[in-house]
Amino acid sequence: MNDVVVVGGGIAGLLSAARLVTQGAKVTLVTFGVGGLQLSHGGFDVLGYAPERVDRPFDVLDDFIAANPEHPYAVLGADAVRLGTDFASEFFGDRLVGNDGRNWLLPTAVGALRPTYLASPTMVNAEARAGHDPVVVVGLQQLKDFQAELIAGNLVKQQIPARAIVLDLPARTHEADASGLTYARAMDRADYRADFAKALGKQLLSGEKALIPAIAGHHEAAAFTDLQTRLGAPLAEIPLPPPGVPGMRLNEYASRRLQDQRVRWILGARVVALHSEGGRAVSVDVATSGHLTKVRADAVVYAPGGFESGSLSLDSHGKVLETHLGLPVRVPPGRLIGPDRRSEQPLFRSGLAVDDQMRVLDDADRPVYPNLFAAGGVLAGAMRWSEKSGEGIAAASAVRAADAIGDLA
């Protein structure tokens, strides 16, 4: 089977690698950082806004595709989005749960309600449409990135009865300013969970469910369930600003699983050149530890992310560049940056154009190489942040690229 190089450690790269190893490929994954999954809210978006808030993404996907012919979903088709989502759901198992085809509607760290298709089971008790049981938002005096009063106030504005409390419960003795990760590590310990449940239980009113910051354990898988049992009341996590613990949990699970499946990892390294022979990509140069390593490849999946990772950038002349390999970038017509900063900026629809097999296209719509594929945030045509479509695009394009490589064998 083919040797395949996957460039990028975000969800597109991880799922590409996962799909490829199921097909018997020998996969080398090259990533400079830890990948975007670790920075995520820990859920899986398919389509949250189109542009109004979406309740059932797959019910509206055909209309969305018809209205957005340049979108990656239009290139892939609705069936591929479903296939990619199903593959991601199977890969992550019970770490992500669905809502019978509906988007979950879950509170954010400012108390807004965010639609997401698959969510961590530690969050779903916060589903906003699950009746109007009163909630108590639980802050921690030593955790500055979670403002319980703000969150509760914004939930009340959305007709959810809520109040806020703040516990004085350091994760580590004498530490006045702790991160969510520090708290999550403390929650890995049963004695800390007991102290937390005791302190919260004293202030919890009958019939309330508790919304806590996303700190219910880092490595201890049973921490959330144990804490909820000790509390004796419904419990849910609210994601903190990135890097968030739920995203870390998913990223660590995916990394371990792929390493167990003998995916070769090259961490802290950049792919800086792509070599070809006879019109095909044959190897990449990987820069690491002060030297270059040439990695042979029968195929390459390029999934380094977009502007957020620095793989796309805008130079001083207003030209959008793909920064690692110099691949051709497709930009939308007209002005890339509009005068109203609050409006959608066309710049962010820039990226790599691909065909329906996810092969990277040149300016004449011809494949740059027949064995060079792209996936995820580097693709052109989407506004992933405002659409809440990032993971859906990543999974669908990753699976399509991997399957296309399988067809080459």
Side-chain angles (χ1 to χ4, degrees):
M1 185 60 185
N2 292 327
D3 290 319
V4 183
V5 172
V6 174
V7 182
I11 191 166
L14 295 171
L15 292 177
S16 296
R19 186 77 169 186
L20 286 160
V21 294
T22 65
Q23 299 170 350
K26 294 170 59 180
V27 179
T28 299
L29 191 149
V30 184
T31 179
F32 181 70
V34 293
L37 183 57
Q38 175 143 312
L39 302 176
S40 76
H41 61 107
F44 185 101
D45 298 337
V46 172
L47 187 64
Y49 291 92
E52 301 301 321
R53 192 161 69 195
V54 171
D55 185 36
R56 293 181 175 274
F58 287 100
D59 286 358
V60 304
L61 200 53
D62 286 336
D63 289 342
F64 179 81
I65 286 172
N68 297 274
E70 304 300 323
H71 196 278
Y73 281 169
V75 178
L76 288 155
D79 288 345
V81 182
R82 173 70 75 180
L83 180 64
T85 301
D86 289 347
F87 181 74
S89 181
E90 179 183 349
F91 179 77
F92 287 107
D94 60 5
R95 290 158 184 81
L96 289 174
V97 295
N99 190 21
D100 196 24
R102 302 183 74 184
N103 276 329
W104 296 100
L105 202 55
L106 302 175
T108 69
V110 295
L113 296 178
R114 185 189 197 285
T116 191
Y117 192 70
L118 302 174
S120 167
T122 64
M123 298 178 186
V124 299
N125 278 338
E127 160 65 43
R129 292 165 299 204
H132 289 86
D133 293 336
V135 303
V136 57
V137 182
V138 184
L140 289 151
Q141 188 171 314
Q142 294 80 17
L143 182 62
K144 309 303 183 188
D145 290 337
F146 190 84
Q147 299 301 315
E149 288 281 358
L150 172 68
I151 297 168
N154 283 332
L155 292 178
V156 168
K157 291 177 182 176
Q158 297 168 91
Q159 312 305 312
I160 297 172
R163 67 184 181 96
I165 63 172
V166 177
L167 304 179
D168 182 5
L169 196 65
R172 293 188 292 212
T173 305
H174 306 308
E175 188 168 52
D177 187 2
S179 69
L181 181 58
T182 301
Y183 267 101
R185 288 169 174 163
M187 282 285 192
D188 283 342
R189 304 192 330 258
D191 63 320
Y192 187 85
R193 295 196 297 273
D195 291 343
F196 190 96
K198 182 179 179 180
L200 175 54
K202 290 178 180 177
Q203 299 194 49
L204 194 64
L205 303 180
S206 177
E208 283 186 326
K209 57 183 174 185
L211 307 185
I212 65 172
I215 57 170
H218 182 210
H219 295 301
E220 175 52 61
F224 176 84
T225 301
D226 177 69
L227 181 61
Q228 183 169 242
T229 300
R230 290 174 185 271
L231 192 61
L235 182 69
E237 289 186 308
I238 295 177
L240 289 162
V245 173
M248 292 181 187
R249 295 174 190 145
L250 289 180
N251 191 62
E252 291 185 8
Y253 166 77
S255 301
R256 286 197 306 272
R257 180 166 173 177
L258 292 179
Q259 290 174 35
D260 289 344
Q261 292 176 308
R262 299 187 179 280
V263 170
R264 178 192 180 199
W265 288 70
I266 303 179
L267 298 171
R270 293 184 187 275
V271 170
V272 296
L274 177 70
H275 301 287
S276 65
E277 291 178 9
R280 298 177 62 86
V282 295
S283 65
V284 296
D285 284 347
V286 178
T288 180
S289 302
H291 66 277
L292 294 180
T293 300
K294 189 179 294 294
V295 181
R296 194 185 77 82
D298 296 309
V300 175
V301 178
Y302 193 59
F307 286 98
E308 72 279 12
S309 67
S311 299
L312 298 174
S313 70
L314 183 68
D315 72 10
S316 59
H317 301 285
K319 185 176 181 180
V320 183
L321 306 172
E322 189 283 302
T323 60
H324 303 303
L325 302 178
L327 296 170
V329 176
R330 199 67 56 90
V331 299
R335 295 181 62 174
L336 294 179
I337 300 176
D340 185 352
R341 295 183 180 180
R342 296 169 297 182
S343 300
E344 176 182 301
Q345 299 297 337
L347 169 68
F348 296 111
R349 292 188 184 274
S350 304
L352 303 185
V354 290
D355 65 9
D356 62 359
Q357 301 301 299
M358 298 294 105
R359 292 179 299 188
V360 179
L361 300 178
D362 64 16
D363 293 336
D365 285 339
R366 298 169 303 198
V368 175
Y369 299 112
N371 58 343
L372 173 61
F373 303 81
V378 76
L379 300 180
M383 295 291 286
R384 293 171 290 131
W385 302 278
S386 58
E387 296 163 359
K388 302 290 183 282
S389 61
E391 288 81 15
I393 293 171
S397 56
V399 168
R400 175 62 62 81
D403 289 354
I405 291 169
D407 290 341
L408 294 175

